[in-house]
């Protein structure tokens, strides 16, 4: 019998390939996205020091698992980065397709002043 690899295991493998090439520094941190069925969250991470510089999540939003929730999270992360004096980041899509909620989060962050 053939064992099929789950979608999440495939995503983790894609994410590890991406992570081998993308590294966040203090000057250019990494914007990492995590998407679940009900919510979406993101963090701005300095990988050299292993610290999270800013974060945002849709846990407090009523319908956080849709595109409108992702846009709100994108706006929140851009504002949190402004407070932390971060203007440029490297986008890490987390192994997900750049489509739908991930794309909406990225576009909302760009519209609110974050560069990547």
């Amino acid at each position: 019998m053939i064992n099929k690899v789950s979608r999440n295991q495939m995503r983790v493998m894609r994410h590890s390939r991406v992570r081998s090439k993308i590294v966040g520094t203090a000057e250019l941190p990494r914007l990492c996205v995590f998407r679940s069925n009900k919510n979406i969250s993101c963090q701005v991470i300095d990988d050299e020091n292993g610290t999270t510089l800013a974060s945002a999540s849709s846990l407090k939003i009523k319908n956080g698992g849709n595109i409108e929730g992702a846009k709100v999270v994108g706006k929140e992360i851009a504002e949190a980065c402004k407070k932390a004096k971060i203007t440029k980041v490297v986008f890490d899509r987390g192994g997900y397709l750049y489509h739908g909620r991930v794309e909406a989060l990225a576009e909302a962050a760009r519209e609110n002043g974050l560069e990547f």
Side-chain angles (χ1 to χ4, degrees), residues 39-42 55-80 100-112:
N39 292 297
I40 190 164
S41 62
C42 57
S55 65
S57 176
S58 67
L59 289 172
K60 295 179 182 176
I61 303 169
K62 185 175 181 184
N63 291 325
N66 55 17
I67 289 179
E68 287 78 24
K71 289 179 183 177
V72 171
V73 173
K75 184 177 178 183
E76 287 178 6
I77 195 68
E79 291 172 356
R101 289 187 282 161
V102 176
E103 182 181 11
L105 186 143
E107 293 299 322
R110 280 193 190 108
E111 288 172 4
N112 288 290

Side-chain angles (χ1 to χ4, degrees), residues 5-22 35 92-98:
V5 180
S6 71
R7 287 176 152 228
N8 192 46
Q9 287 174 334
M10 293 299 294
R11 181 196 69 81
V12 170
M13 291 186 333
R14 278 192 305 273
H15 191 209
S16 64
R17 279 197 304 268
V18 170
R19 285 284 291 119
S20 67
K21 299 172 185 124
I22 295 177
R35 186 193 70 173
D92 177 12
R93 59 189 172 87
Y96 303 106
L97 288 176
Y98 187 78

